[in-house]
Structures are given as structure tokens and as C-alpha cells.
Amino acid sequence: MNSTRRRHIIPISLMLFTAFSARALWLDQQSFWYDEAFSVWLAAKSFGDITWHMLAVDSNTPAHYWLLKAWLAMAGGSDFCARLLSVFGGVTAAALATLLPSRTARVPAVICCGAIALWPALVQIGQDARTYAWMGAAVVASTAALSRALTRNARKAWWTWALFTVLTVGMHIMGIGVFVAQLMVAAGWVWKSDRARRSARIAASIIPVAAC
């Protein structure tokens, strides 16, 4: 590990601790609002019932409710435990934000981490028993993976991006919008790239899987 990375371990660690503290503080001070109560109610059903309800009734994707069901089975069904899952989602998003810079500069990584850790709207999202904290983490992960795929142009990197893209859409149907935006970025990058033909072949083999 080089000296630049060592120098930023402490500030990033402090930001992640702050991200957790800001979200976990007074987490169960207020009772559930309607959407949170719905999340817990749906998570109490079977995996099959969750899937049917989300696809047939809500026209949405069920991954978060699967995750919440598994989490509540392990952690308990209190308001605090239900919301704690979103706390971890917010902290995960802040940690993944350190991967966003495509170069070796670490100051931008610290800034990205701090922005997600402390942005008031994201703190609020990280305190609700809803899908958005983990969807945010999936968006950050897919964006970092896309950056890596475009700069390294390796098949493994493209598959990693596809995996996180599927996860993003699985968390919420709005993830399709993220997918479309990332496709536009990738298309612009490939168009300018000297290795456009090779990138296009690799992306073409992965994109249909992500779109399913």
C-alpha cells in the first residue's frame, strides 16, 4: 500500500463512522410511516408471494423485499432492526464511492465518500426501511464498475458492471433509467475510444444480459 492510500485511510474511516452514526442515531425514535410499514408487511410474506405482489400488483422489482425478509429473520422484527438494514446500505454506498475516481487521486475519493456519507437527503433515506438506500449503493457500485470497464476494457470488468446493473434494477424499477444513462455514457466513451471495435464487441455480449 503506497503512502497516498495510507494517508487517506483515516479520513475515509472517520467518514464511514460518521455516516453510520448520523443514520443510526435515534433510529427508532419515530414510528413507521406508511411506506415503511408496507415494506415490513410485505417482507413477512413468503418469497413467492413477495415476487408475485411486486411484479403483478406494484409493477416493481422485489430484490429489496427479499433482502429485508432475510434480514428480519436474522436480526428481529423491531422498527430499529428494520431500519438498520438501510443504515448499512447508506454506509455501503459511501464506502463504494471511494471507487468512483478512475485515476489514482485519493482526494476526490475522500470527497465522494464524504458527500454520500453526510448529504442530508441521503442520511434521511438511510434511516427509512425502504429500498432506496440499497438501490443507491447498487447505483454507486454499477457506476464504479462501468468506469473500470471503460478504462480497462476487460471482459471481467464488463460482467461486473452487468451484475451490478441487474442488482440496481432488481432493487427498484427506476434502475432502468440508471441503466439507460450509463449506456449513453458508455456509447460516448466507446465512440471516442481508439479501441472502439473491441469495446463494442465486449459490451454487446454483456448488455443483453443486463437488460433482462
Side-chain angles (χ1 to χ4, degrees), residues 94-118:
L96 290 170
T98 63
L99 303 176
L100 288 175
S102 59
R103 304 292 182 179
T104 58
R106 294 296 164 181
V107 173
V110 173
I111 293 174
C112 289
C113 178
I116 293 180
L118 301 175

Side-chain angles (χ1 to χ4, degrees), residues 19-33:
F20 178 84
S21 300
R23 289 160 174 79
L25 190 64
W26 301 311
L27 195 60
D28 58 351
Q29 191 173 36
Q30 295 182 346
S31 60
F32 281 149
W33 57 296

Side-chain angles (χ1 to χ4, degrees), residues 20-96:
F20 178 84
S21 300
R23 289 160 174 79
L25 190 64
W26 301 311
L27 195 60
D28 58 351
Q29 191 173 36
Q30 295 182 346
S31 60
F32 281 149
W33 57 296
Y34 174 81
D35 283 356
E36 290 181 294
F38 170 80
S39 295
V40 174
W41 170 79
L42 187 59
K45 296 183 176 297
S46 68
F47 286 105
D49 287 344
I50 291 172
T51 303
W52 179 87
H53 185 94
M54 292 307 297
L55 296 179
V57 179
D58 276 13
S59 300
N60 210 327
T61 47
H64 173 259
Y65 300 95
W66 295 341
L67 178 62
L68 182 60
K69 178 179 178 62
W71 169 257
L72 293 178
M74 295 185 298
S78 68
D79 293 8
F80 181 88
C81 290
R83 287 169 172 164
L84 188 60
L85 179 63
S86 292
V87 171
F88 290 134
V91 176
T92 299
L96 290 170

Side-chain angles (χ1 to χ4, degrees), residues 115-153:
I116 293 180
L118 301 175
W119 195 267
L122 297 180
V123 172
Q124 178 62 51
I125 287 173
Q127 293 178 317
D128 292 339
R130 296 290 290 149
T131 185
Y132 303 109
W134 279 104
M135 180 190 174
V139 169
V140 174
S142 67
T143 303
L146 178 61
S147 175
R148 184 183 181 91
L150 291 172
T151 53
R152 299 201 174 189
N153 201 28

